[in-house]
Amino acid sequence: MLDGRIQELESSLLARITSARSAEELEAVRVEALGRKEGALTLIGKEMGKLAPEDRKRVGALLNGAKQKIEAALESKGRQMADAGLRVRLDAEWIDLTLPAPGPRRGHLHPMTHIQRELEELFVSMGFTVLDGPEVETEYRNFDALNIPATHPARDAQDTFWLEGGNLLRTHTSPVQVRGMEKLGPPLRMIAPGRVFRNESVDASHEHTFYQIEGMMVDRNISVAHLLYFMRIMLTAIFHRDVNVRLRPGYFPFVEPGFELDLQCLLCGGSGCPVCKQSGWVEQMGCGLVHPNVLRMSGIDPEEWSGFAFGLGITRLAMMRYGIDDIRLLQGGDLRFLEQF
Amino acid sequence: MKFSYNWIREFVEDLDCAPGALEKLVTMKTAECEGIEVAGALLDRACAARVESVEPIPNSHNVKAVVDAGRYGRKTVVCGAPNCRAGLITAYAPIGKKVVNGVESDGMLASGAELGLNRDHAGILELDAQVGAPIGGCVPDSIIEIDNKSITHRPDLWGHLGMAREVAAILGHALKDPVRPDLLPQGAGGIRIQIEDLDLCPRYSALVFENVTVQPSPLWLQYRLTAIGVNPINNIVDMTNHVMAELAQPMHAFDADLLKGGTIFIRPAKAGERFRALNEEEYTLDPSNLVIADAAGAIALGGVIGGLDSAIGDKTTRVVLESANFLGSSIRRTSSAIKLRTDASMRFEKAQDPANTVRGLARAVELLQELSPGIRVAGGVADQKKDIPAPPPIELPLDWLERKLGRAVEPAEVRRILGQLAFGVSEPKRGVFSVTVPSWRATKDISIKDDLVEEVGRMVGYDSITPQAPLVPTAVPPENAERRFQHQARQIFADQGFTEVYNYSFLSEDTARIFGFDPAAHVRVTNPIASDQALLRTSLQPGIWKNITENQKHRDTFRVFEIGLEIHKPEVDLTAEGILDLPDEIVHLVAALYDRDSDGVTGLFEIKRAAECLLPGARVCPAEARSFEHPARAADVQWRGETVGRLFELHPSLVEAGRAAVLDLDLQAVERLAAVETKYTPIRRYPSSAFDLSVIAGLREQVGKLESAIASFAGPLLESIQFVREYSGPPFEAGRKSVTFRLTVGSAERTLSSEEVGTIRGGIIDGMRELGYELRV
Ligand SMILES: [Zn+2]
């Protein structure tokens, strides 16, 4: 008799658990079934004492089985309901992640800064120190100490901004060579990137203000072969690829011998194109072995020490690297240009 | 400088290298070639032809001519030249058939200009030649253009012979010298010469010629000069230009009958002396200019230009031919002072060879015999010169040469190269050459052994040197802390949304005044490109202001910054004592934030936040505004006890629409202060306590000051004080605000008891009350 009641209760309670719609409803079913005083299954348990011993075991097992099923059903249904609730709450927290993030966007470094930093890092890694020199220089350091006396025709090639009192705006970074030798003494390896000035009218390919990097190494028995070695490493690093260079005679009063260094045209690989004027080579920079007069004027004995020096126009380098066709953009301050770097 | 390949070929025996290949070799070993042009392209096909008949073409000024064109046979051509007439021997060029004025024209009759012989295009050539003969013996030529900048140190390369010597050395061929010194007449000089200063004019040589006929030069000479860009004028002037282009020796011819007195003076000009030059300009001279003068006055500006009043003309029959040498720097000074550069002055500037003057005269004698038949030399060479000792020989140790080049060169090869370039070589000690320098390389170009490294190096070819790493000890380079810090600052500002600009170092007086800067306090450019670029900037702010004005046309809001140099006159000007100090150059960072639709507040705080990224813990202390600053929004920036910059809003009258916040930092000072060593302090083991305090204060009272006051009363157990909020409005009366701070206190040794915390709090409240502040507790 009890067997039938238990089975009946079990199936009706399980059905109600399945159909429960809320946590309250579920709790009501739990109390009705398992409540400590009035729960239907609890009450049956109390009636067990009246059963014959031979029935007690069987009915007890049946009752426990029913209780366990109902408890499991309650727990599972309860968890279902909680999960569903969390889902609803979190769903309400939907946001549009495609909206732009607030706050400023990262700014941009000037293209010349990119190039200068790259070169500085390269040379520091090869044991060169980075030196600064002033934009205003003495006539002595800009010309005389570089073996360019006042009567020298090379002065014509460098249209100079003169300042009241007789100083000048440096026409090249080469005076930093002089400062480097005075400051560091031999042996030394230095570079000096910086702003230089020439009194020229400005158009798409000419500027009165531009950037150069000067480099110098003074040590024992420095040769043209060593110069070539460093120039090739430098240009390979700058252009991120193997380059071919060649030296040909070039005249700069502060080096002897002096060279123009040509880079095999990166566009055509040397077969000739409009950029290299069909020659296969592009004039890149001036360099040479430091003139003994220059060493001597900076207090270095040319019989004991020798060195090489080079000067590279990095404004032109930046223009090549980024394909900039108007030099004026570099100092024009136009954000539409600067934000591209 | 233009070089004729055919001319060079006259001096280089068996020159078998084509112009294109030669151009490359010269570029690699001597001087930079800029290209080759063909001159006289038609000359290999053109020939002399006789005009047989001419008939007019209706409604045209052209005529139809039938010519006997030698090997080309009889041709009909349409010709527009006014001198086209039957019987004329002229030049015919077979350039193909075309129909002109309805007549089929087969080829052309050519003017001198059309053939490239001269600049004459007034009519077709009038020749005295056999029909079918080539034109004046002229053939097409290749003109090689050399970059002048690459031969500024080589006086000898301003003439064809010098270039030919290079070519001969490059190819290993023999060189032929066109000069025949035996042609120079012996005996006393044909004119007296008096040089006042032998430094300015180390040599002056002259010849006098009689029975001169001034006439057009033969076609070969006209062609030769035209091809290298020189205008043919007459036989005498053309001869001087020929010698100059050949030997790099400028010359000048005077009409001897127009000179006063029998002496040529070489002297400084008198102050205010006037001179009429060949270019028909009149110059007023001063003693820094060297003149050639006769008894009456200047007849030439030495080394620059001849005088109009003694110029060669059609009637000239006697000529004084000058071949002189001048001090390069003096010529350069005069030529730039009067803004006149001539073919002569360009050459003299490069320090020409004094030994070359009489060589030029010898060549002139030879040429004039052909150009002016019947000409006679009157007297011998007049020649006054400075004694110039031969330069001492240069010692060239061959092992040293090898170390310099980074490759070995056989002694025999060194000897061959130097010998071909006309150096004298002997070997007094084994392995050491003693090298004498030819006079034309000794004026300026070559005086030390390093100069010889170049001679050998370029001739063996720099491409024969293998790049090689130097064997030197590794060394850590001394660090440039300033520059590294500047790069850090750059990166920080870029990360905070600021874009880097590079502005010019120049400033206009007007802009200086707008910013209230005294123009007189600036370093001034004496030769500015434009009057608005005459001052050097003492601040980066005007540049940034310009960036704001220009970018606001395209952007509603943006951030920019620049790191650059302020240039300040030295504090004490010692110029009067002959001491020329350099200006003080100080690295600054100026950043600006522009916003069109703003009251400016957000921008100021945003730029202040950016400043704190670089200067953690910086304080901002309101200060009196300068004229270009917003009067109520300007402050000093302090860091680690020093004022290092300025934070302000640009005066709204300087910004057309919107607001601009500006930060200006002295990066030099900041970098100095930034160098602090970091030391670890142990993390506290005992919990801290926190409490809030609200101070009632006047509306314009600075939170920063209240904070400092509270901190000063909190004592040593204060860990931190933080601004929480400020509030004005009810229940506070108008003009008052409540400012709330959160204080954290604690100790490294123990947990503070509530009594201890209460004591600290009480101390602050008492202290603030004593200063007259009410506290909401
Ligand atoms: Zn190319």
Side-chain angles (χ1 to χ4, degrees):
Chain A
M1 195 189 93
L2 269 180
D3 299 25
R5 266 180 63 204
I6 292 171
Q7 277 159 3
E8 209 171 285
L9 265 172
E10 182 189 308
S11 58
S12 80
L13 285 165
L14 285 175
R16 285 177 58 200
I17 288 169
T18 310
S19 61
R21 289 273 175 88
S22 67
E24 291 76 33
E25 213 178 310
L26 202 63
E27 177 62 10
V29 177
R30 193 191 64 77
V31 170
E32 206 182 313
L34 304 170
R36 221 179 302 163
K37 286 182 182 152
E38 302 291 329
L41 292 172
T42 317
L43 291 175
I44 290 175
K46 284 176 182 166
E47 286 175 38
M48 292 274 287
K50 298 169 190 167
L51 289 179
E54 63 270 25
D55 290 337
R56 205 177 288 163
K57 199 175 171 192
R58 179 181 40 84
V59 174
L62 199 63
L63 185 64
N64 272 339
K67 270 186 183 169
Q68 273 165 19
K69 275 188 198 156
I70 286 164
E71 272 166 2
L74 279 169
E75 199 198 314
S76 133
K77 181 72 179 182
R79 203 167 44 237
Q80 263 179 39
M81 284 177 158
D83 286 354
L86 187 64
R87 263 202 305 280
V88 169
R89 203 179 81 226
L90 296 189
D91 182 66
E93 288 174 3
W94 177 89
I95 56 165
D96 181 359
L97 279 171
T98 67
L99 285 173
R105 300 280 82 83
R106 191 172 63 88
H108 302 263
L109 292 175
H110 195 278
M112 292 308 307
T113 294
H114 287 296
I115 298 266
Q116 288 186 64
R117 278 175 74 161
E118 211 175 281
L119 288 169
E120 285 170 31
E121 280 163 22
L122 168 70
F123 276 97
V124 167
S125 76
M126 296 196 291
F128 285 65
T129 189
V130 185
L131 291 183
D132 295 303
E135 291 177 1
V136 175
E137 262 297 3
T138 58
E139 183 179 1
Y140 172 78
R141 279 208 187 83
N142 195 78
F143 289 126
D144 303 77
L146 292 165
N147 212 23
I148 316 173
T151 57
H152 204 290
R155 285 204 180 186
D156 289 344
Q158 301 192 359
D159 297 316
T160 308
F161 283 115
W162 293 95
L163 304 177
E164 260 176 15
N167 286 326
L168 48 82
L169 286 170
R170 63 174 174 187
T171 57
H172 44 193
T173 41
S174 308
V176 193
Q177 283 184 16
V178 182
R179 291 177 174 272
M181 287 185 284
E182 288 169 357
K183 183 179 165 186
L184 303 170
L188 66 90
R189 279 175 255 178
M190 55 147 285
I191 56 157
R195 175 178 279 205
V196 301
F197 306 85
R198 300 276 170 94
N199 196 335
E200 276 192 21
S201 353
V202 175
D203 61 31
S205 48
H206 296 91
E207 248 291 1
H208 53 59
T209 300
F210 54 97
Y211 285 78
Q212 281 186 344
I213 187 167
E214 191 76 12
M216 179 182 231
M217 173 171 186
V218 175
D219 216 303
R220 295 179 200 275
N221 296 324
I222 292 300
S223 72
V224 178
H226 301 143
L227 168 68
L228 263 173
Y229 174 81
F230 275 99
M231 295 303 93
R232 236 187 33 199
I233 288 201
M234 173 176 84
L235 292 165
T236 299
I238 289 172
F239 292 104
H240 305 302
R241 57 203 267 196
D242 264 342
V243 296
N244 286 322
V245 300
R246 70 174 192 191
L247 295 181
R248 55 186 169 82
Y251 176 61
F252 308 96
F254 38 101
V255 287
E256 185 64 55
F259 312 112
E260 293 283 358
L261 185 143
D262 296 339
L263 179 71
Q264 193 163 52
C265 181
L266 295 174
L267 270 139
C268 66
S271 58
C273 71
V275 165
C276 58
K277 294 178 197 142
Q278 305 304 331
S279 73
W281 296 89
V282 179
E283 187 172 318
Q284 196 64 41
M285 55 194 289
C287 53
L289 298 186
V290 184
H291 197 289
N293 290 355
V294 172
L295 291 172
R296 208 173 287 122
M297 272 187 277
S298 295
I300 295 175
D301 178 3
E303 288 302 318
E304 192 180 349
W305 303 96
S306 52
F308 66 71
F310 62 88
L312 173 69
I314 49 178
T315 297
R316 212 157 58 95
L317 197 64
M319 293 176 73
M320 271 173 75
R321 159 79 66 87
Y322 300 112
I324 299 165
D325 55 3
D326 189 336
I327 196 170
R328 293 168 292 198
L329 287 167
L330 290 167
Q331 262 128 177
D334 190 330
L335 287 168
R336 295 170 298 174
F337 168 74
L338 296 166
E339 283 170 357
Q340 299 180 30
F341 299 95
Chain B
M1 173 83 187
K2 289 179 167 172
F3 288 91
S4 149
Y5 176 82
N6 289 348
W7 203 334
I8 288 172
R9 193 157 60 179
E10 288 181 8
F11 305 141
V12 179
E13 265 175 30
D14 307 320
L15 176 57
D16 49 3
C17 181
L22 188 64
E23 184 209 21
K24 288 202 177 71
L25 283 170
V26 168
T27 292
M28 291 309 292
K29 291 173 188 282
T30 301
E32 185 172 346
C33 301
E34 297 186 308
I36 299 182
E37 277 174 21
V38 172
L42 285 176
L43 287 170
D44 57 346
R45 283 176 285 155
C47 68
R50 179 196 305 278
V51 181
E52 298 193 321
S53 65
V54 170
E55 61 183 86
I57 300 172
N59 302 321
S60 165
H61 65 270
N62 290 339
V63 295
K64 177 175 155 189
V66 175
V67 298
D68 171 4
R71 68 190 134 126
Y72 298 110
R74 180 157 291 125
K75 297 287 180 187
T76 301
V77 291
V78 174
C79 180
N83 62 337
C84 182
R85 59 183 189 273
L88 177 69
I89 304 281
T90 185
Y92 171 80
I95 55 162
K97 291 181 187 174
K98 63 177 176 183
V99 176
V100 184
N101 304 126
V103 178
E104 188 181 78
S105 179
D106 184 1
M108 74 188 283
L109 301 182
S111 69
E114 280 162 332
L115 292 174
L117 294 170
N118 53 34
R119 310 253 164 111
D120 182 7
H121 42 69
I124 51 178
L125 276 178
E126 305 209 359
L127 299 169
D128 178 11
Q130 294 291 319
V131 168
I135 310 297
C138 303
V139 294
D141 197 358
S142 294
I143 304 303
I144 302 174
E145 172 116 39
I146 302 275
D147 180 8
N148 285 354
K149 280 206 291 284
S150 73
I151 50 174
T152 50
H153 59 309
R154 290 291 302 270
D156 59 321
L157 293 188
W158 290 78
H160 279 70
L161 181 62
M163 189 53 78
R165 185 178 294 109
E166 294 286 320
V167 171
I170 291 170
L171 299 172
H173 291 208
L175 180 75
K176 286 181 283 187
D177 186 348
V179 176
R180 288 180 53 197
D182 59 292
L183 295 178
L184 285 174
Q186 304 299 310
I191 191 162
R192 277 187 303 280
I193 289 164
Q194 197 174 318
I195 303 176
E196 195 163 303
D197 185 338
L198 282 166
D199 287 328
L200 296 177
C201 175
R203 188 166 195 179
Y204 195 99
S205 317
L207 276 179
V208 180
F209 292 91
E210 294 174 342
N211 201 29
V212 174
T213 319
V214 177
Q215 60 190 15
S217 295
L219 281 180
W220 71 263
L221 179 53
Q222 294 192 31
Y223 174 44
R224 181 149 277 189
L225 295 178
T226 304
I228 58 165
V230 178
N231 249 341
I233 293 168
N234 58 46
N235 55 346
I236 306 301
V237 174
D238 293 352
M239 180 281 298
T240 64
N241 283 330
H242 183 280
V243 172
M244 176 169 70
E246 187 169 84
L247 305 178
Q249 173 63 53
M251 291 190 148
H252 184 69
F254 300 98
D255 185 326
D257 293 320
L258 297 175
L259 299 184
K260 312 282 183 297
T263 306
I264 287 181
F265 302 92
I266 299 95
R267 56 159 172 87
K270 300 183 176 97
E273 186 166 358
R274 297 176 80 78
F275 169 65
R276 287 214 302 161
L278 274 173
N279 60 1
E280 299 184 18
E281 296 281 329
E282 178 153 344
Y283 298 96
T284 305
L285 307 176
D286 66 54
S288 74
N289 313 127
L290 192 68
V291 295
I292 315 302
D294 62 7
I299 53 173
L301 195 48
V304 181
I305 194 166
L308 192 60
D309 302 335
S310 57
I312 302 295
D314 296 342
K315 298 189 179 65
T316 300
T317 58
R318 291 175 64 239
V319 164
V320 172
L321 185 62
E322 163 196 300
S323 184
N325 186 269
F326 299 101
L327 178 68
S329 54
S330 151
I331 300 299
R332 184 169 163 264
R333 199 162 45 237
T334 295
S335 141
S336 56
I338 66 167
K339 295 189 172 59
L340 177 66
R341 291 193 97 201
T342 59
D343 288 334
S345 75
M346 270 199 306
R347 283 174 174 81
F348 282 125
E349 279 178 6
K350 314 299 186 285
Q352 285 299 330
D353 175 13
N356 210 17
T357 59
V358 285
R359 283 171 49 80
L361 290 178
R363 186 73 176 118
V365 170
E366 185 179 9
L367 286 166
L368 286 176
Q369 282 168 357
E370 178 190 342
L371 301 178
S372 177
I375 196 166
R376 284 191 309 270
V377 181
V381 178
D383 189 19
Q384 194 188 351
K385 63 181 172 186
K386 184 183 173 180
D387 263 342
I388 301 167
I394 300 171
E395 256 198 15
L396 179 66
L398 296 178
D399 59 340
W400 177 87
L401 174 68
E402 177 179 341
R403 284 202 302 278
K404 278 279 173 180
L405 283 177
R407 66 153 276 187
V409 185
E410 284 299 315
E413 177 67 355
V414 176
R415 196 184 275 271
R416 182 198 72 80
I417 288 169
L418 292 175
Q420 281 231 288
L421 293 170
F423 292 87
V425 181
S426 62
E427 192 173 4
K429 242 186 319 182
R430 193 168 162 73
V432 180
F433 282 0
S434 174
V435 181
T436 55
V437 183
S439 57
W440 57 89
R441 301 296 301 275
T443 52
K444 193 166 198 171
D445 182 16
I446 289 188
S447 56
I448 54 174
K449 60 186 177 186
D450 301 75
D451 298 326
L452 299 175
V453 175
E454 171 156 42
E455 297 306 300
V456 177
R458 65 193 178 90
M459 284 297 164
V460 298
Y462 295 123
D463 54 353
S464 69
I465 297 173
T466 315
Q468 195 185 339
L471 289 172
V472 291
T474 313
V476 176
E479 201 201 7
N480 185 334
E482 292 89 356
R483 192 173 267 267
R484 196 186 57 172
F485 184 77
Q486 287 159 26
H487 283 321
Q488 266 170 17
R490 267 193 186 94
Q491 195 59 58
I492 287 175
F493 273 79
D495 288 345
Q496 297 304 321
F498 293 81
T499 290
E500 187 179 25
V501 296
Y502 280 27
N503 288 315
Y504 291 116
S505 302
F506 302 109
L507 182 70
S508 75
E509 286 199 27
D510 288 347
T511 311
R513 283 198 195 89
I514 289 172
F515 278 77
F517 305 153
D518 176 9
H522 290 68
V523 178
R524 188 177 285 272
V525 182
T526 54
N527 57 338
I529 268 203
S531 60
D532 65 352
Q533 297 176 16
L535 307 180
L536 297 189
R537 59 180 178 179
T538 53
S539 165
L540 274 54
Q541 293 165 13
I544 289 284
W545 173 55
K546 188 164 168 269
N547 300 140
I548 293 171
T549 328
E550 286 175 2
N551 281 296
Q552 69 178 173
K553 293 171 198 150
H554 315 291
R555 294 272 194 283
D556 289 334
T557 174
F558 54 85
R559 304 169 179 216
V560 290
F561 80 101
E562 180 181 15
I563 291 180
L565 290 170
E566 287 188 354
I567 299 174
H568 297 275
K569 274 188 170 177
E571 280 198 5
V572 196
D573 186 2
L574 298 172
T575 330
E577 281 98 282
I579 300 168
L580 186 59
D581 272 343
L582 286 178
D584 295 320
E585 299 189 10
I586 305 165
V587 186
H588 270 245
L589 180 151
V590 175
L593 192 154
Y594 169 80
D595 196 342
R596 186 183 306 280
D597 308 304
S598 147
D599 55 8
V601 179
T602 332
L604 276 164
F605 282 103
E606 185 54 22
I607 212 162
K608 179 181 173 188
R609 192 188 59 73
E612 286 174 7
C613 293
L614 181 64
L615 319 173
R619 304 189 68 84
V620 161
C621 306
E624 197 176 329
R626 293 168 298 178
S627 62
F628 57 94
E629 296 173 334
H630 187 304
R633 294 179 175 180
D636 286 332
V637 178
Q638 295 188 342
W639 195 47
R640 299 188 172 157
E642 286 187 32
T643 298
V644 294
R646 191 88 174 167
L647 172 71
F648 61 92
E649 184 182 314
L650 260 183
H651 198 288
S653 66
L654 289 175
V655 187
E656 205 168 298
R659 305 287 192 134
V662 178
L663 171 75
D664 187 338
L665 294 176
D666 174 347
L667 275 197
Q668 200 166 299
V670 171
E671 191 270 332
R672 182 166 40 79
L673 296 168
V676 180
E677 261 187 57
T678 307
K679 274 269 159 36
Y680 154 79
T681 7
I683 295 163
R684 289 197 171 176
R685 291 161 59 201
Y686 301 96
S688 317
S689 313
F691 56 89
D692 287 1
L693 276 179
S694 297
V695 185
I696 315 298
L699 268 185
R700 291 201 171 190
E701 290 218 43
Q702 297 165 15
V703 167
K705 283 196 175 155
L706 294 173
E707 190 182 301
S708 313
I710 291 173
S712 73
F713 295 126
L717 295 175
L718 179 71
E719 273 178 24
S720 70
I721 175 164
Q722 262 186 312
F723 168 80
V724 179
R725 77 184 81 86
E726 63 176 351
Y727 169 77
S728 57
F732 305 108
E733 56 188 282
R736 311 290 288 167
K737 66 179 174 185
S738 158
V739 186
T740 304
F741 297 95
R742 172 153 305 151
L743 290 88
T744 308
V745 294
S747 159
E749 281 94 40
R750 61 184 193 286
T751 307
L752 296 185
S753 68
S754 55
E755 288 77 31
E756 281 175 302
V757 175
T759 309
I760 294 169
R761 193 165 172 270
I764 298 170
I765 292 169
D766 291 348
M768 292 303 284
R769 284 200 170 128
E770 216 152 288
L771 290 181
Y773 293 102
E774 196 187 318
L775 274 88
R776 294 202 349 135
V777 188

